[in-house]
Amino acid sequence: MAKFVDTIKRSTMSNIIIAIDGFSSTGKSSFAKLIAARLGILYLDSGAMYRAVTLYAADHGLISPDHVVNEPALKADLDGGKVAISFVRDEATGRHEICLNGTNVEKRIRQLDISNNVSHIAVIPFVRNFVDDLLHRYGADGCVMDGRDIGTAVFPNADLKLYMTADPAIRAQRRLDEMLLKGETADFEAVYKNVLERDYIDSHRAMNPLRKADDAIELDNSHMTIDEQMVWLGKVLKERFDIDF
Ligand code: CDP
């Protein structure tokens, strides 16, 4: 079979857009960060932006304990420029961390109270439009971006689309290990419940639900190490763009 090599894309790897979608805790962001570092392009975490908006809502009393969002007030604040999202480069790691109104909130947005609310914020169409604008502004010139709707809605013409899945119990265990490593307290059941809840909300919402784009390549990494994933991706990039990764 003749090998298809896209020579135009190969010559512009710095402008390549790689979209990685999938369920929570499939390791999208670790994978995306490594790919970005290896290709020397920007990594953008769309989930972090939804989490930052969620943190803003939580800090301003705009979301109730049973996840009811004060949408008019949140919309007024987004429209009024009161929710400024930016990035700072961490000199030690070389990675970009997210700031909300000038404060680095990279760690805070990963805590369970934000995880429990974020999908309720991310179903709101005006929030999705707000985040989409940011993603287009930061990512249009080339990036690796991860999320739920990048290949289907944000960058439907992405050069390469990956769709990541893994067994929910394995994903919950990964998330728990990550939290324990950071010194946070959590138990498996609570994290597992959050994973299942978000899977459901993310794939059933009306606007841009999580689904595999027709032209995405599926990767089930339940039993793969990150090194094995990089080898897998190397083959994909060689096949698609004739680049040695
Ligand atoms: O890290 P994890 O995969 O658990 O989640 P995340 O990428 O930080 O995203 C947090 C939440 O934001 C998801 O559960 C979705 O509800 C929402 N999200 C979304 O709706 N669309 C995206 N493109 C990215 C995240």
Side-chain angles (χ1 to χ4, degrees), residues 3 31 34 39 51 54 60-61 81 112 125-126 134 136 151 153 155 160 164 182 191 193 200 208 229:
K3 197 166 74 169
F31 195 27
L34 267 181
L39 292 176
R51 286 171 179 273
T54 305
H60 291 77
L112 197 55
F126 65 77
L134 285 173
H136 283 130
F155 284 110
L160 178 65
M164 293 178 65
K182 287 183 196 156
V191 175
K193 186 166 170 272
Y200 184 85
N208 303 337
Q229 285 179 207

Side-chain angles (χ1 to χ4, degrees), residues 23-25 28 45-48 50-51 110 118-119 122 128 146-150 175 198 202 205:
F23 292 105
S24 71
S25 303
K28 300 183 300 291
D45 175 354
S46 65
Y50 287 104
R51 286 171 179 273
R110 314 278 166 197
V118 61
S119 295
R128 300 205 72 79
D146 77 325
R148 302 292 187 283
D149 60 344
I150 308 305
R175 176 51 61 101
R198 282 199 288 140
D202 292 346
R205 66 168 172 247

